[in-house]
mmCIF file of all heavy atoms in Angstrom:
data_model
loop_
_atom_site.group_PDB
_atom_site.id
_atom_site.type_symbol
_atom_site.label_atom_id
_atom_site.label_comp_id
_atom_site.label_asym_id
_atom_site.label_seq_id
_atom_site.Cartn_x
_atom_site.Cartn_y
_atom_site.Cartn_z
ATOM 1 N N ASN A 424 -43.560 22.430 31.635
ATOM 2 C CA ASN A 424 -44.120 23.780 31.569
ATOM 3 C C ASN A 424 -44.738 24.089 32.990
ATOM 4 O O ASN A 424 -45.776 23.577 33.295
ATOM 5 C CB ASN A 424 -45.112 23.893 30.449
ATOM 6 C CG ASN A 424 -45.320 25.338 30.049
ATOM 7 O OD1 ASN A 424 -44.458 26.166 30.350
ATOM 8 N ND2 ASN A 424 -46.398 25.649 29.420
ATOM 9 N N GLY A 425 -44.004 24.902 33.778
ATOM 10 C CA GLY A 425 -44.490 25.251 35.033
ATOM 11 C C GLY A 425 -44.125 24.253 36.130
ATOM 12 O O GLY A 425 -43.773 23.116 35.803
ATOM 13 N N ILE A 426 -44.186 24.691 37.411
ATOM 14 C CA ILE A 426 -43.663 23.880 38.497
ATOM 15 C C ILE A 426 -44.515 22.681 38.778
ATOM 16 O O ILE A 426 -44.046 21.623 39.285
ATOM 17 C CB ILE A 426 -43.452 24.789 39.742
ATOM 18 C CG1 ILE A 426 -42.420 24.138 40.705
ATOM 19 C CG2 ILE A 426 -44.749 25.128 40.458
ATOM 20 C CD1 ILE A 426 -41.018 24.102 40.205
ATOM 21 N N GLU A 427 -45.843 22.783 38.464
ATOM 22 C CA GLU A 427 -46.691 21.575 38.726
ATOM 23 C C GLU A 427 -46.262 20.411 37.842
ATOM 24 O O GLU A 427 -46.255 19.257 38.271
ATOM 25 C CB GLU A 427 -48.165 21.871 38.446
ATOM 26 C CG GLU A 427 -48.814 22.912 39.325
ATOM 27 C CD GLU A 427 -49.015 22.416 40.770
ATOM 28 O OE1 GLU A 427 -49.142 21.195 40.961
ATOM 29 O OE2 GLU A 427 -49.044 23.271 41.687
ATOM 30 N N ALA A 428 -45.831 20.703 36.610
ATOM 31 C CA ALA A 428 -45.326 19.683 35.733
ATOM 32 C C ALA A 428 -44.028 19.043 36.275
ATOM 33 O O ALA A 428 -43.765 17.884 36.087
ATOM 34 C CB ALA A 428 -45.158 20.224 34.312
ATOM 35 N N VAL A 429 -43.259 19.930 36.955
ATOM 36 C CA VAL A 429 -42.004 19.456 37.538
ATOM 37 C C VAL A 429 -42.360 18.444 38.630
ATOM 38 O O VAL A 429 -41.698 17.412 38.742
ATOM 39 C CB VAL A 429 -41.208 20.644 38.116
ATOM 40 C CG1 VAL A 429 -40.088 20.169 39.061
ATOM 41 C CG2 VAL A 429 -40.624 21.490 36.971
ATOM 42 N N LEU A 430 -43.376 18.761 39.414
ATOM 43 C CA LEU A 430 -43.750 17.826 40.491
ATOM 44 C C LEU A 430 -44.110 16.444 39.905
ATOM 45 O O LEU A 430 -43.707 15.443 40.449
ATOM 46 C CB LEU A 430 -44.972 18.419 41.271
ATOM 47 C CG LEU A 430 -45.581 17.464 42.328
ATOM 48 C CD1 LEU A 430 -44.580 17.207 43.408
ATOM 49 C CD2 LEU A 430 -46.840 18.061 42.948
ATOM 50 N N GLU A 431 -44.880 16.471 38.849
ATOM 51 C CA GLU A 431 -45.302 15.219 38.198
ATOM 52 C C GLU A 431 -44.104 14.440 37.736
ATOM 53 O O GLU A 431 -44.019 13.241 37.961
ATOM 54 C CB GLU A 431 -46.127 15.462 36.926
ATOM 55 C CG GLU A 431 -47.591 15.357 37.161
ATOM 56 C CD GLU A 431 -48.387 15.796 35.961
ATOM 57 O OE1 GLU A 431 -48.068 15.388 34.847
ATOM 58 O OE2 GLU A 431 -49.361 16.596 36.193
ATOM 59 N N TYR A 432 -43.120 15.171 37.160
ATOM 60 C CA TYR A 432 -41.889 14.477 36.709
ATOM 61 C C TYR A 432 -41.119 13.932 37.884
ATOM 62 O O TYR A 432 -40.628 12.783 37.816
ATOM 63 C CB TYR A 432 -41.009 15.525 35.954
ATOM 64 C CG TYR A 432 -39.758 14.984 35.420
ATOM 65 C CD1 TYR A 432 -39.728 14.255 34.186
ATOM 66 C CD2 TYR A 432 -38.550 15.131 36.078
ATOM 67 C CE1 TYR A 432 -38.539 13.778 33.684
ATOM 68 C CE2 TYR A 432 -37.351 14.640 35.537
ATOM 69 C CZ TYR A 432 -37.352 13.901 34.340
ATOM 70 O OH TYR A 432 -36.204 13.379 33.842
ATOM 71 N N HIS A 433 -41.033 14.636 38.980
ATOM 72 C CA HIS A 433 -40.375 14.183 40.154
ATOM 73 C C HIS A 433 -40.985 12.819 40.655
ATOM 74 O O HIS A 433 -40.281 11.838 40.928
ATOM 75 C CB HIS A 433 -40.519 15.264 41.243
ATOM 76 C CG HIS A 433 -39.785 14.981 42.528
ATOM 77 N ND1 HIS A 433 -40.375 14.364 43.637
ATOM 78 C CD2 HIS A 433 -38.521 15.221 42.907
ATOM 79 C CE1 HIS A 433 -39.486 14.216 44.565
ATOM 80 N NE2 HIS A 433 -38.348 14.741 44.209
ATOM 81 N N GLN A 434 -42.310 12.792 40.674
ATOM 82 C CA GLN A 434 -42.985 11.566 41.095
ATOM 83 C C GLN A 434 -42.730 10.429 40.154
ATOM 84 O O GLN A 434 -42.526 9.276 40.527
ATOM 85 C CB GLN A 434 -44.481 11.822 41.252
ATOM 86 C CG GLN A 434 -44.791 12.738 42.439
ATOM 87 C CD GLN A 434 -46.174 13.245 42.465
ATOM 88 O OE1 GLN A 434 -46.875 13.406 41.457
ATOM 89 N NE2 GLN A 434 -46.635 13.735 43.595
ATOM 90 N N GLU A 435 -42.770 10.763 38.827
ATOM 91 C CA GLU A 435 -42.615 9.742 37.827
ATOM 92 C C GLU A 435 -41.205 9.110 37.930
ATOM 93 O O GLU A 435 -41.036 7.841 37.922
ATOM 94 C CB GLU A 435 -42.720 10.478 36.469
ATOM 95 C CG GLU A 435 -42.668 9.632 35.258
ATOM 96 C CD GLU A 435 -42.545 10.463 33.963
ATOM 97 O OE1 GLU A 435 -43.238 11.510 33.983
ATOM 98 O OE2 GLU A 435 -41.726 10.124 33.125
ATOM 99 N N ILE A 436 -40.167 9.960 38.134
ATOM 100 C CA ILE A 436 -38.818 9.367 38.197
ATOM 101 C C ILE A 436 -38.637 8.652 39.497
ATOM 102 O O ILE A 436 -37.963 7.615 39.545
ATOM 103 C CB ILE A 436 -37.739 10.519 38.019
ATOM 104 C CG1 ILE A 436 -37.934 11.228 36.615
ATOM 105 C CG2 ILE A 436 -36.344 9.976 38.126
ATOM 106 C CD1 ILE A 436 -37.705 10.333 35.406
ATOM 107 N N GLU A 437 -39.177 9.163 40.577
ATOM 108 C CA GLU A 437 -39.043 8.473 41.859
ATOM 109 C C GLU A 437 -39.623 7.077 41.793
ATOM 110 O O GLU A 437 -39.089 6.096 42.358
ATOM 111 C CB GLU A 437 -39.617 9.282 42.964
ATOM 112 C CG GLU A 437 -39.245 8.677 44.355
ATOM 113 C CD GLU A 437 -39.380 9.648 45.580
ATOM 114 O OE1 GLU A 437 -40.168 10.616 45.412
ATOM 115 O OE2 GLU A 437 -38.753 9.443 46.552
ATOM 116 N N LYS A 438 -40.739 6.990 41.047
ATOM 117 C CA LYS A 438 -41.370 5.697 40.912
ATOM 118 C C LYS A 438 -40.426 4.727 40.087
ATOM 119 O O LYS A 438 -40.397 3.521 40.376
ATOM 120 C CB LYS A 438 -42.668 5.822 40.153
ATOM 121 C CG LYS A 438 -43.882 5.444 41.052
ATOM 122 C CD LYS A 438 -45.159 5.384 40.248
ATOM 123 C CE LYS A 438 -46.192 6.343 40.773
ATOM 124 N NZ LYS A 438 -46.986 6.947 39.741
ATOM 125 N N LYS A 439 -39.791 5.243 39.139
ATOM 126 C CA LYS A 439 -38.928 4.471 38.276
ATOM 127 C C LYS A 439 -37.578 4.138 38.896
ATOM 128 O O LYS A 439 -36.830 3.280 38.445
ATOM 129 C CB LYS A 439 -38.615 5.275 36.974
ATOM 130 C CG LYS A 439 -39.662 5.320 35.979
ATOM 131 C CD LYS A 439 -39.031 5.618 34.590
ATOM 132 C CE LYS A 439 -40.145 5.650 33.548
ATOM 133 N NZ LYS A 439 -40.097 6.908 32.843
ATOM 134 N N ARG A 440 -37.308 4.885 39.968
ATOM 135 C CA ARG A 440 -35.962 4.879 40.548
ATOM 136 C C ARG A 440 -35.341 3.486 40.780
ATOM 137 O O ARG A 440 -34.188 3.274 40.402
ATOM 138 C CB ARG A 440 -36.081 5.623 41.871
ATOM 139 C CG ARG A 440 -34.742 5.847 42.565
ATOM 140 C CD ARG A 440 -35.037 6.409 43.981
ATOM 141 N NE ARG A 440 -33.875 6.945 44.572
ATOM 142 C CZ ARG A 440 -33.870 7.394 45.799
ATOM 143 N NH1 ARG A 440 -34.938 7.331 46.540
ATOM 144 N NH2 ARG A 440 -32.739 7.803 46.331
ATOM 145 N N ASP A 441 -36.089 2.608 41.368
ATOM 146 C CA ASP A 441 -35.517 1.283 41.677
ATOM 147 C C ASP A 441 -35.271 0.435 40.415
ATOM 148 O O ASP A 441 -34.504 -0.462 40.473
ATOM 149 C CB ASP A 441 -36.402 0.489 42.597
ATOM 150 C CG ASP A 441 -36.129 0.852 44.061
ATOM 151 O OD1 ASP A 441 -35.198 1.526 44.295
ATOM 152 O OD2 ASP A 441 -36.945 0.424 44.961
ATOM 153 N N ALA A 442 -35.963 0.778 39.324
ATOM 154 C CA ALA A 442 -35.794 -0.021 38.146
ATOM 155 C C ALA A 442 -34.627 0.466 37.250
ATOM 156 O O ALA A 442 -34.269 -0.141 36.246
ATOM 157 C CB ALA A 442 -37.118 -0.074 37.362
ATOM 158 N N LEU A 443 -34.168 1.740 37.542
ATOM 159 C CA LEU A 443 -33.086 2.278 36.728
ATOM 160 C C LEU A 443 -31.785 1.570 36.991
ATOM 161 O O LEU A 443 -31.480 1.169 38.108
ATOM 162 C CB LEU A 443 -32.930 3.779 37.018
ATOM 163 C CG LEU A 443 -34.085 4.631 36.500
ATOM 164 C CD1 LEU A 443 -33.950 6.082 36.976
ATOM 165 C CD2 LEU A 443 -34.229 4.572 35.004
ATOM 166 N N PRO A 444 -30.953 1.403 35.896
ATOM 167 C CA PRO A 444 -29.697 0.628 36.103
ATOM 168 C C PRO A 444 -28.616 1.440 36.729
ATOM 169 O O PRO A 444 -27.484 0.996 36.868
ATOM 170 C CB PRO A 444 -29.343 0.250 34.650
ATOM 171 C CG PRO A 444 -29.989 1.242 33.763
ATOM 172 C CD PRO A 444 -31.222 1.661 34.510
ATOM 173 N N TYR A 445 -28.925 2.747 37.121
ATOM 174 C CA TYR A 445 -27.890 3.556 37.799
ATOM 175 C C TYR A 445 -28.574 4.302 38.930
ATOM 176 O O TYR A 445 -29.814 4.334 38.981
ATOM 177 C CB TYR A 445 -27.284 4.587 36.803
ATOM 178 C CG TYR A 445 -28.333 5.223 35.878
ATOM 179 C CD1 TYR A 445 -29.053 6.343 36.316
ATOM 180 C CD2 TYR A 445 -28.641 4.739 34.649
ATOM 181 C CE1 TYR A 445 -29.978 6.947 35.511
ATOM 182 C CE2 TYR A 445 -29.598 5.338 33.827
ATOM 183 C CZ TYR A 445 -30.284 6.383 34.280
ATOM 184 O OH TYR A 445 -31.231 6.988 33.489
ATOM 185 N N GLU A 446 -27.764 4.838 39.833
ATOM 186 C CA GLU A 446 -28.365 5.421 41.001
ATOM 187 C C GLU A 446 -28.744 6.876 40.781
ATOM 188 O O GLU A 446 -27.968 7.697 40.259
ATOM 189 C CB GLU A 446 -27.276 5.322 42.182
ATOM 190 C CG GLU A 446 -27.768 5.934 43.459
ATOM 191 C CD GLU A 446 -28.904 5.186 44.114
ATOM 192 O OE1 GLU A 446 -29.461 4.267 43.531
ATOM 193 O OE2 GLU A 446 -29.307 5.582 45.241
ATOM 194 N N VAL A 447 -29.941 7.225 41.106
ATOM 195 C CA VAL A 447 -30.475 8.611 40.877
ATOM 196 C C VAL A 447 -30.949 9.095 42.232
ATOM 197 O O VAL A 447 -31.643 8.377 42.945
ATOM 198 C CB VAL A 447 -31.684 8.535 39.914
ATOM 199 C CG1 VAL A 447 -32.428 9.844 39.885
ATOM 200 C CG2 VAL A 447 -31.224 8.177 38.527
ATOM 201 N N ASP A 448 -30.516 10.299 42.677
ATOM 202 C CA ASP A 448 -30.912 10.750 44.037
ATOM 203 C C ASP A 448 -31.838 11.854 43.968
ATOM 204 O O ASP A 448 -32.195 12.464 45.035
ATOM 205 C CB ASP A 448 -29.666 11.009 44.910
ATOM 206 C CG ASP A 448 -28.786 12.095 44.345
ATOM 207 O OD1 ASP A 448 -28.948 12.462 43.226
ATOM 208 O OD2 ASP A 448 -27.846 12.518 45.018
ATOM 209 N N GLY A 449 -32.336 12.228 42.794
ATOM 210 C CA GLY A 449 -33.342 13.298 42.747
ATOM 211 C C GLY A 449 -33.454 13.741 41.284
ATOM 212 O O GLY A 449 -33.074 13.000 40.398
ATOM 213 N N ILE A 450 -34.113 14.899 41.084
ATOM 214 C CA ILE A 450 -34.028 15.487 39.719
ATOM 215 C C ILE A 450 -33.390 16.820 39.784
ATOM 216 O O ILE A 450 -33.306 17.411 40.811
ATOM 217 C CB ILE A 450 -35.548 15.651 39.140
ATOM 218 C CG1 ILE A 450 -36.351 16.573 39.977
ATOM 219 C CG2 ILE A 450 -36.221 14.240 39.009
ATOM 220 C CD1 ILE A 450 -37.640 16.948 39.316
ATOM 221 N N VAL A 451 -32.964 17.269 38.580
ATOM 222 C CA VAL A 451 -32.491 18.618 38.526
ATOM 223 C C VAL A 451 -33.369 19.405 37.598
ATOM 224 O O VAL A 451 -33.767 18.901 36.557
ATOM 225 C CB VAL A 451 -31.026 18.690 37.923
ATOM 226 C CG1 VAL A 451 -30.469 20.080 37.760
ATOM 227 C CG2 VAL A 451 -30.087 17.829 38.835
ATOM 228 N N ILE A 452 -33.757 20.620 38.033
ATOM 229 C CA ILE A 452 -34.570 21.443 37.092
ATOM 230 C C ILE A 452 -33.752 22.674 36.701
ATOM 231 O O ILE A 452 -33.043 23.209 37.534
ATOM 232 C CB ILE A 452 -35.993 21.803 37.644
ATOM 233 C CG1 ILE A 452 -35.808 22.502 38.986
ATOM 234 C CG2 ILE A 452 -36.792 20.517 37.811
ATOM 235 C CD1 ILE A 452 -37.190 23.087 39.456
ATOM 236 N N LYS A 453 -33.913 23.058 35.498
ATOM 237 C CA LYS A 453 -33.177 24.225 34.951
ATOM 238 C C LYS A 453 -34.134 25.031 34.138
ATOM 239 O O LYS A 453 -34.935 24.541 33.353
ATOM 240 C CB LYS A 453 -32.034 23.706 34.049
ATOM 241 C CG LYS A 453 -31.046 22.874 34.772
ATOM 242 C CD LYS A 453 -30.053 22.181 33.838
ATOM 243 C CE LYS A 453 -29.193 21.223 34.666
ATOM 244 N NZ LYS A 453 -28.334 20.338 33.864
ATOM 245 N N VAL A 454 -34.024 26.351 34.335
ATOM 246 C CA VAL A 454 -34.766 27.296 33.466
ATOM 247 C C VAL A 454 -34.297 27.119 32.067
ATOM 248 O O VAL A 454 -33.110 27.179 31.816
ATOM 249 C CB VAL A 454 -34.558 28.728 34.007
ATOM 250 C CG1 VAL A 454 -35.222 29.718 33.049
ATOM 251 C CG2 VAL A 454 -35.120 28.919 35.367
ATOM 252 N N ASN A 455 -35.242 26.834 31.143
ATOM 253 C CA ASN A 455 -34.810 26.455 29.800
ATOM 254 C C ASN A 455 -34.200 27.644 29.003
ATOM 255 O O ASN A 455 -33.189 27.509 28.339
ATOM 256 C CB ASN A 455 -36.001 25.934 29.063
ATOM 257 C CG ASN A 455 -35.618 25.260 27.737
ATOM 258 O OD1 ASN A 455 -34.447 24.900 27.628
ATOM 259 N ND2 ASN A 455 -36.541 25.080 26.843
ATOM 260 N N ASP A 456 -34.745 28.842 29.187
ATOM 261 C CA ASP A 456 -34.330 29.989 28.424
ATOM 262 C C ASP A 456 -32.993 30.504 28.874
ATOM 263 O O ASP A 456 -32.811 30.868 30.029
ATOM 264 C CB ASP A 456 -35.420 31.038 28.566
ATOM 265 C CG ASP A 456 -35.143 32.253 27.629
ATOM 266 O OD1 ASP A 456 -33.995 32.668 27.507
ATOM 267 O OD2 ASP A 456 -36.167 32.700 27.051
ATOM 268 N N ILE A 457 -31.928 30.448 27.983
ATOM 269 C CA ILE A 457 -30.600 30.826 28.418
ATOM 270 C C ILE A 457 -30.522 32.334 28.678
ATOM 271 O O ILE A 457 -29.724 32.743 29.597
ATOM 272 C CB ILE A 457 -29.531 30.355 27.365
ATOM 273 C CG1 ILE A 457 -29.485 28.824 27.450
ATOM 274 C CG2 ILE A 457 -28.175 30.949 27.649
ATOM 275 C CD1 ILE A 457 -28.626 28.151 26.454
ATOM 276 N N GLU A 458 -31.297 33.089 28.014
ATOM 277 C CA GLU A 458 -31.315 34.535 28.362
ATOM 278 C C GLU A 458 -31.809 34.782 29.764
ATOM 279 O O GLU A 458 -31.269 35.557 30.528
ATOM 280 C CB GLU A 458 -32.139 35.293 27.318
ATOM 281 C CG GLU A 458 -31.800 36.762 27.183
ATOM 282 C CD GLU A 458 -33.078 37.638 27.353
ATOM 283 O OE1 GLU A 458 -34.170 37.107 27.355
ATOM 284 O OE2 GLU A 458 -32.889 38.774 27.557
ATOM 285 N N PHE A 459 -32.866 34.090 30.174
ATOM 286 C CA PHE A 459 -33.440 34.112 31.528
ATOM 287 C C PHE A 459 -32.302 33.713 32.497
ATOM 288 O O PHE A 459 -32.181 34.290 33.540
ATOM 289 C CB PHE A 459 -34.621 33.127 31.685
ATOM 290 C CG PHE A 459 -35.923 33.662 31.109
ATOM 291 C CD1 PHE A 459 -35.973 34.860 30.434
ATOM 292 C CD2 PHE A 459 -37.143 32.929 31.309
ATOM 293 C CE1 PHE A 459 -37.174 35.316 29.892
ATOM 294 C CE2 PHE A 459 -38.304 33.405 30.817
ATOM 295 C CZ PHE A 459 -38.370 34.590 30.129
ATOM 296 N N GLN A 460 -31.613 32.626 32.131
ATOM 297 C CA GLN A 460 -30.531 32.140 33.063
ATOM 298 C C GLN A 460 -29.558 33.269 33.337
ATOM 299 O O GLN A 460 -29.205 33.500 34.487
ATOM 300 C CB GLN A 460 -29.785 30.997 32.359
ATOM 301 C CG GLN A 460 -30.533 29.661 32.266
ATOM 302 C CD GLN A 460 -29.714 28.522 31.714
ATOM 303 O OE1 GLN A 460 -28.559 28.714 31.409
ATOM 304 N NE2 GLN A 460 -30.289 27.389 31.580
ATOM 305 N N GLY A 461 -29.194 33.955 32.277
ATOM 306 C CA GLY A 461 -28.221 35.089 32.462
ATOM 307 C C GLY A 461 -28.799 36.147 33.348
ATOM 308 O O GLY A 461 -28.115 36.713 34.211
ATOM 309 N N ARG A 462 -30.063 36.470 33.206
ATOM 310 C CA ARG A 462 -30.727 37.503 34.031
ATOM 311 C C ARG A 462 -30.787 37.065 35.481
ATOM 312 O O ARG A 462 -30.731 37.848 36.440
ATOM 313 C CB ARG A 462 -32.046 37.882 33.535
ATOM 314 C CG ARG A 462 -31.953 38.963 32.445
ATOM 315 C CD ARG A 462 -33.118 38.956 31.454
ATOM 316 N NE ARG A 462 -34.430 39.169 32.044
ATOM 317 C CZ ARG A 462 -35.511 39.109 31.338
ATOM 318 N NH1 ARG A 462 -35.488 38.748 30.063
ATOM 319 N NH2 ARG A 462 -36.700 39.247 31.917
ATOM 320 N N LEU A 463 -30.945 35.770 35.738
ATOM 321 C CA LEU A 463 -31.074 35.257 37.065
ATOM 322 C C LEU A 463 -29.734 35.222 37.832
ATOM 323 O O LEU A 463 -29.631 35.494 38.973
ATOM 324 C CB LEU A 463 -31.778 33.868 37.102
ATOM 325 C CG LEU A 463 -33.200 33.830 36.719
ATOM 326 C CD1 LEU A 463 -33.686 32.515 36.283
ATOM 327 C CD2 LEU A 463 -34.054 34.420 37.881
#
Side-chain angles (χ1 to χ4, degrees):
N424 202 20
I426 202 71
E427 295 291 336
V429 166
L430 174 65
E431 258 172 51
Y432 182 79
H433 184 267
Q434 289 166 339
E435 182 191 321
I436 301 294
E437 190 161 24
K438 246 191 237 142
K439 282 203 181 123
R440 185 185 192 190
D441 274 352
L443 290 174
Y445 44 84
E446 180 66 356
V447 169
D448 59 352
I450 63 167
V451 178
I452 56 170
K453 298 168 188 172
V454 171
N455 193 20
D456 189 318
I457 291 176
E458 203 234 346
F459 281 5
Q460 288 185 1
R462 272 156 59 189
L463 289 161

